[in-house]
Amino acid sequence: MKTQLERHENSILRQENDKLRAENMSIRDAMRNPICTNCGGPAIIGDISLEEQHLRIENARLKDELDRVCALAGKFLGRPISSLASSMAPAMPSSSLELGVGSNGFGGLSTVATTLPLGPDFGGGISSTLPVAPPTSTTGVTGLERSLERSMFLELALAAMDELVKMAQNDEPLWVRSLEGGREILNLEEYMRTFTPCIGMKPNGFVTESTRETGMVIINSLALVETLMDSNRWAEMFPCMIARTSTTDVISSGMGGTRNGALQLMHAELQVLSPLVPVREVNFLRFCKQHAEGVWAVVDVSIDTIRDTSVAPTFVNCRRLPSGCVVQDMPNGYSKVTWVEHAEYDESAVHQLYRPLLSSGMGFGAQRWVATLQRQCECLAILMSSTVPTRDHTAITAGGRRSMLKLAQRMTDNFCAGVCASTVHKWNKLCAGNVDEDVRVMTRKSVDDPGEPPGIVLSAATSVWLPVSPQRLFDFLRDERLRSEWDILSNGGPMQEMAHIAKGQDHGNCVSLLRASAMNANQSSMLILQETCIDAAGSLVVYAPVDIPAMHVVMNGGDSAYVALLPSGFAIVPDGPGSRGPNSGAHTNSGGPNRVSGSLLTVAFQILVNSLPTAKLTVESVETVNNLISCTVQKIKAALHCES
């Protein structure tokens, strides 16, 4: 890389030299016959030589360029820069990352240097072995500014990678076990002693969230790295966590046809499925590096302090400190994934009910990323297997299974987009006085979308606390035999499972087709498509009424894109340590009160309130959906014998 970079720099310098020579020739020609700007007659230069005149002009231009570059560097470093030499002279030190000298399970791996050359133009197309995006200057940014910015990005990425690997490798005193749940928690005092903040100090009012989780995942390191570096595949792997994502700039796509050294700018909207938790919008660098044979690391770090992008939110509510994963191939086809999640966020925008969940890292933390990754990879392994699970409906063809799963995925994605008000859909929030305080109601117009009925779509969602374990609540809501206790679509009786497609070893991970019993001979029975998911971080039950003829087409392998549906459902998470005060009625042997553990349940409905997109929303429609949510919550509480 050093040789290639030097070649590239020499080429640029030759071009600059030719350009300066041409400028010099034109200036010499102009100076031979100088013209006075005031009178238009011949000008007298006096004692100033031709070379000195040229140097003064060039000096003025370079000074202006230097001021612009120093302003950019000062913005990044957080302090004024008076000289370009002071910021560019120090060479990037060799950052040796000791991957596991026996600690945290990475034993036997050698020290791997991660030094990459810091040239003046990292993104100028070094050679075919290091594909990069060509620098652009459409917004008035000069080539030198672009080069310096990319050098800053590379330096930040290397520092972030160094920090991530050390955080993945080190145990105590950097990481300590929590008394409740045994999760690993970052020792902030030790962290501040060990690391220098690479993106500046924590903003006022922000709180820190930091977690680490290690797990075995049925995927190899190369496949996982490719998934993480592709924004579309990344969103598909973590569907309920990522509302929307995009790659805004590719600085380097890697070396030697691999992802080693790949560096790109990304934008993402991260979510917890509750209207009481705002979506986190983050702009960050993602850097991928191979540290040894079968050992890769991918790190993210926020760049809001470096660059103001057009996609940046007006108010930054979250910053990602070096976060990501270290992946090590195992002999059995699995990978050992160590995930570190470290963020600072504005807690004031989060509802009191969800603050313990987020501060413990159970909302956006490492445990949720690893649990989702394990569940999704297990699902992919089952779907790619030639054997059909015993619980599956054997009459469905392989094409029918794919079509049903694709339809279920679209249904779940639309459900999540309706709960969290991400920018996937253009929702309009309503502030209706006749709606409960913690119920969020939004509307949007559905036009020319074959996957939805046309008209005005109303979405309502709320979250409540229940003194019931997440597993018990999930088992109750997914059981078709108990559906009549809370679902008005059940016609007051049990439902029958017509089709079943397994998505994991746990029976709770599946896609089902349910049929409600007809109340009388004149009423046709209705079908309901349902997807249920469960892992260590939470669970999900999403369903939607579907047209019977359309589902026959899908089950025979037909295109599911033309099946119109609007999803409703539930999201369940543990309530987090200390989220609910002690139960005044229960006491321990020592006389102190016991804490009541439970679940946080999000209930959400999407309903077509008018089939005309131009129609206006009525007060009655809002009241109806508000009553539907309240009634459903009350029925669930009554069925589970919860106190009001």
Side-chain angles (χ1 to χ4, degrees), residues 470-487:
Q471 183 69 52
R472 184 186 171 201
L473 186 55
F474 174 70
D475 290 338
F476 168 74
L477 292 172
R478 76 182 179 91
D479 193 336
E480 69 274 7
R481 296 165 299 179
L482 304 176
R483 201 175 184 101
S484 60
E485 297 191 32
W486 59 266
D487 188 8

Side-chain angles (χ1 to χ4, degrees), residues 27-91:
I27 290 172
R28 284 176 183 273
D29 291 336
M31 294 302 294
R32 287 194 186 97
N33 300 299
I35 297 174
C36 178
T37 55
N38 294 327
C39 64
I44 301 173
I45 297 176
D47 297 333
I48 301 175
S49 67
L50 188 66
E51 286 76 17
E52 187 177 350
Q53 186 79 359
H54 170 66
L55 286 172
R56 286 185 179 181
I57 297 170
E58 184 68 9
N59 194 36
R61 187 184 70 81
L62 289 174
K63 188 174 183 301
D64 182 59
E65 184 89 354
L66 178 62
D67 290 341
R68 289 164 61 90
V69 172
C70 287
L72 181 69
K75 180 182 176 185
F76 165 58
L77 297 172
R79 56 184 173 82
I81 302 297
S82 59
S83 171
L84 182 67
S86 63
S87 63
M88 293 291 285

Side-chain angles (χ1 to χ4, degrees), residues 490-565:
S490 65
N491 294 335
M495 288 191 174
Q496 181 183 1
E497 187 178 61
M498 303 299 298
H500 181 100
I501 300 176
K503 292 185 66 180
Q505 297 296 330
D506 192 301
H507 293 330
N509 289 315
C510 67
V511 172
S512 307
L513 195 61
L514 310 177
R515 183 175 66 186
S517 304
M519 295 292 288
N520 52 61
N522 297 326
Q523 184 181 12
S524 63
S525 59
M526 177 184 57
L527 293 180
I528 290 180
L529 180 68
Q530 175 175 286
E531 179 171 19
T532 58
C533 310
I534 185 169
D535 55 41
S539 54
L540 199 65
V541 178
V542 183
Y543 63 92
V546 287
D547 186 52
I548 295 177
M551 285 310 298
H552 279 302
V553 173
V554 171
M555 293 174 70
N556 289 321
D559 189 359
S560 64
Y562 296 96
V563 179
L565 51 76

Side-chain angles (χ1 to χ4, degrees), residues 311-504:
V311 294
T314 54
F315 172 72
V316 177
N317 66 352
C318 175
R319 308 192 320 157
R320 292 193 83 190
L321 279 72
S323 304
C325 60
V326 177
V327 190
Q328 181 181 3
D329 281 331
M330 293 285 112
N332 55 0
Y334 282 70
S335 290
K336 180 180 180 180
V337 177
T338 300
W339 202 292
V340 174
E341 201 63 30
H342 193 187
E344 295 167 346
Y345 65 97
D346 179 20
E347 192 180 49
S348 62
V350 180
H351 193 280
Q352 291 282 356
L353 201 60
Y354 275 81
R355 288 186 184 180
L357 181 85
L358 266 60
S359 63
S360 67
M362 296 167 67
F364 293 97
Q367 181 193 25
R368 191 175 174 213
W369 288 99
V370 171
T372 303
L373 180 64
Q374 288 172 326
R375 174 169 54 82
Q376 288 289 97
C377 290
E378 184 181 286
C379 171
L380 290 172
I382 288 176
L383 296 180
M384 289 188 293
S385 174
S386 57
T387 59
V388 178
T390 54
R391 285 175 56 90
D392 272 23
H393 196 279
T394 53
I396 306 176
T397 63
R401 284 159 56 90
R402 284 193 296 270
S403 292
M404 275 190 69
L405 290 170
K406 191 173 181 180
L407 179 60
Q409 182 182 5
R410 172 161 66 86
M411 174 182 70
T412 301
D413 289 345
N414 285 343
F415 170 78
C416 297
V419 171
C420 294
S422 64
T423 59
V424 175
H425 296 302
K426 292 183 179 179
W427 291 103
N428 297 312
K429 293 184 183 180
L430 297 181
C431 299
N434 52 351
V435 175
D436 293 345
E437 180 184 355
D438 291 335
V439 176
R440 181 166 65 190
V441 181
M442 306 180 294
T443 63
R444 62 181 172 88
K445 294 179 181 180
S446 175
V447 184
D448 298 331
D449 187 350
E452 287 183 345
I456 301 294
V457 177
L458 189 145
S459 172
T462 191
S463 296
V464 296
W465 179 85
L466 296 177
V468 180
S469 71
Q471 183 69 52
R472 184 186 171 201
L473 186 55
F474 174 70
D475 290 338
F476 168 74
L477 292 172
R478 76 182 179 91
D479 193 336
E480 69 274 7
R481 296 165 299 179
L482 304 176
R483 201 175 184 101
S484 60
E485 297 191 32
W486 59 266
D487 188 8
I488 61 172
L489 297 176
S490 65
N491 294 335
M495 288 191 174
Q496 181 183 1
E497 187 178 61
M498 303 299 298
H500 181 100
I501 300 176
K503 292 185 66 180

Side-chain angles (χ1 to χ4, degrees), residues 174-306:
L174 186 63
W175 294 96
V176 293
R177 291 280 178 184
S178 66
L179 297 177
E180 186 170 357
R183 290 174 287 88
E184 289 186 309
I185 299 175
L186 186 65
N187 181 343
L188 291 177
E189 292 183 2
E190 182 66 22
Y191 173 80
M192 294 302 293
R193 281 195 295 267
T194 307
F195 301 104
T196 303
C198 59
I199 59 171
M201 301 306 293
K202 181 169 66 176
N204 291 333
F206 277 40
V207 296
T208 301
E209 162 197 306
S210 49
T211 51
R212 183 174 72 170
E213 183 78 9
T214 300
M216 303 298 291
V217 183
I218 184 168
I219 190 173
N220 65 56
S221 60
L222 288 176
L224 181 53
V225 163
E226 285 294 333
T227 298
L228 295 175
M229 299 306 293
D230 184 315
S231 59
N232 293 328
R233 290 169 64 180
W234 181 46
E236 289 174 2
M237 184 65 82
F238 303 94
C240 300
M241 299 185 66
I242 303 170
R244 194 172 191 174
T245 184
S246 60
T247 301
T248 55
D249 191 9
V250 177
I251 299 171
S252 169
S253 57
M255 296 179 288
T258 72
R259 290 290 189 176
N260 185 24
L263 180 63
Q264 58 197 38
L265 281 171
M266 299 181 73
H267 173 73
E269 296 176 26
L270 307 178
Q271 63 189 5
V272 166
L273 294 180
S274 170
L276 308 183
V277 181
V279 172
R280 291 184 178 179
E281 287 195 63
V282 284
N283 294 293
F284 58 94
L285 274 174
R286 175 160 289 179
F287 180 48
C288 176
K289 179 155 185 64
Q290 183 176 14
H291 292 279
E293 187 67 31
V295 180
W296 292 75
V298 178
V299 67
D300 298 343
V301 61
S302 284
I303 53 127
D304 296 295
T305 54
I306 303 178

